[in-house]
Amino acid sequence: MSGAPEASFTIEHETSDTKGYYRVELNGAKAEMTYSKAGDAMIIIDSTEVPDVMRGQKVGAALVSQAVGDARSAGKKIMPLCPFAKAQFARHSEWHDVLF
């Protein structure tokens, strides 16, 4: 569907008028991807933080993948300013339909 591996964890999503985040909590550790809203049609991924204890579990990729799926559903575009998110978009050409 979105190109990222199946997640074995729950991704939390919260949003406000201007910002939002996707978060995963595992064994007391938190991984988070934050974004800013640019009008009604675009989000800008600002930062992706994954603690060392979660490395290798594809948590960061799952966060970006969730944002891609949500952007598609809402008819929005994504501008990945975060270097990690940019690298994920470079690896997943199937996500380019939402790339700004």
Side-chain angles (χ1 to χ4, degrees), residues 23-81:
R23 179 181 293 149
V24 170
E25 292 188 43
L26 285 175
N27 303 320
K30 292 179 188 174
E32 185 174 77
M33 184 189 74
T34 61
Y35 65 87
S36 299
K37 293 180 181 178
D40 292 331
M42 183 170 64
I43 67 166
I44 300 166
I45 298 176
D46 307 306
S47 172
T48 307
E49 301 282 336
V50 177
D52 288 340
V53 297
M54 289 186 189
R55 303 244 187 237
Q57 298 181 54
K58 310 260 187 231
V59 174
L63 294 171
V64 179
S65 177
Q66 185 69 46
V68 168
D70 290 352
R72 268 193 196 122
S73 296
K76 295 184 180 191
K77 295 289 186 182
I78 297 176
M79 179 185 292
L81 291 184

Side-chain angles (χ1 to χ4, degrees), residues 3-38:
E6 288 297 313
S8 58
F9 38 78
T10 302
I11 297 175
E12 210 181 304
H13 180 215
E14 276 199 29
T15 186
S16 70
D17 289 342
T18 59
K19 295 187 176 293
Y21 69 80
Y22 291 88
R23 179 181 293 149
V24 170
E25 292 188 43
L26 285 175
N27 303 320
K30 292 179 188 174
E32 185 174 77
M33 184 189 74
T34 61
Y35 65 87
S36 299
K37 293 180 181 178

